[in-house]
Amino acid sequence: MRSGIFGILVAVVAFLAYMSVFVVNPAQQALVLQLGRVEKVVREPGVQFKYPFIQNVIYLDKRILDLNMPPQEVIASDKKRLVVDAFARYRISDPVLFYQRVNNINQANRRLSTFLQSSLRSELGRASFIAVVRDDRDGLMENIRKNVSASAADLGIEVVDVKIRRADLPEANSQAI
């Protein structure tokens, strides 16, 4: 009888210990939530502890993430048509703000796509075809990155890089612009 109670007690303690421990990988950061509120941000990898059943953990990526945009048509300031596709690279800079504003990577990608598309049309629409293709492409990409990064800062996101390329060229001759 005593060994049965002792066995149950050991099993309960082992289960509670299992539910109290979580591991953060080097490529992750974690938010410890208690009743929906952020209690703690864990940025360092390793074994961490939480209160079982009261707290839960959400993992967010620390790595640089990619956002690919489908090709879109843009009219340059000299009325020439360009078909460009763009991609952005970003990271989660403020995990609490990110969780509160967008909650997950898919929502973040949707919001960033809107920012990127708007900035892309605005910047390329003010530039001439030659500036976009040859003369000032680096400056244009940097302006687009700054615009998107400023908008994304409210989401807890830092935009690291934006690249655009002409999509109306055959794939073999396609070049980054």
Side-chain angles (χ1 to χ4, degrees):
M1 177 87 164
R2 221 184 253 270
S3 65
I5 293 174
F6 181 72
I8 292 173
L9 185 61
V10 166
V12 168
V13 168
F15 179 73
L16 288 175
Y18 174 75
M19 295 300 293
S20 299
V21 174
F22 66 97
V23 177
V24 179
N25 294 327
Q28 296 176 323
Q29 50 194 337
L31 296 176
V32 178
L33 304 177
Q34 183 170 324
L35 303 174
R37 279 191 356 253
V38 177
E39 287 295 314
K40 181 168 74 167
V41 177
V42 180
R43 294 179 189 251
E44 297 301 316
V47 176
Q48 304 289 328
F49 297 94
K50 66 178 181 80
Y51 297 119
F53 308 113
I54 296 172
Q55 295 180 329
N56 62 334
V57 178
I58 294 177
Y59 297 98
L60 299 171
D61 230 324
K62 273 179 28 180
R63 297 174 293 188
I64 293 177
L65 305 168
D66 293 326
L67 169 67
N68 292 314
M69 293 280 298
Q72 58 183 311
E73 185 175 322
V74 178
I75 307 296
S77 65
D78 53 3
K79 307 297 183 218
K80 293 193 178 176
R81 173 181 132 348
L82 282 165
V83 178
V84 297
D85 61 357
F87 72 90
R89 301 182 74 200
Y90 67 95
R91 73 169 55 99
I92 300 169
S93 58
D94 185 341
V96 175
L97 192 58
F98 180 86
Y99 174 72
Q100 291 170 342
R101 299 283 168 90
V102 292
N103 200 5
N104 61 46
I105 299 295
N106 290 334
Q107 267 309 97
N109 284 345
R110 274 185 242 150
R111 297 282 295 274
L112 278 176
S113 292
T114 303
F115 299 151
L116 181 57
Q117 185 177 22
S118 173
S119 183
L120 187 70
R121 288 187 181 280
S122 173
E123 286 295 320
L124 298 184
R126 281 188 257 147
S128 70
F129 179 82
I130 295 300
V132 172
V133 173
R134 183 183 63 197
D135 293 344
D136 192 28
R137 65 180 179 218
D138 291 335
L140 291 169
M141 286 188 290
E142 182 60 21
N143 288 343
I144 292 168
R145 187 198 65 75
K146 286 178 184 175
N147 292 340
V148 175
S149 192
S151 299
D154 291 337
L155 305 177
I157 295 172
E158 174 193 359
V159 177
V160 177
D161 192 21
V162 171
K163 296 287 183 200
I164 56 175
R165 72 176 184 95
R166 286 186 58 191
D168 56 349
L169 297 175
E171 193 64 37
N173 296 329
S174 184
Q175 63 188 28
I177 62 169

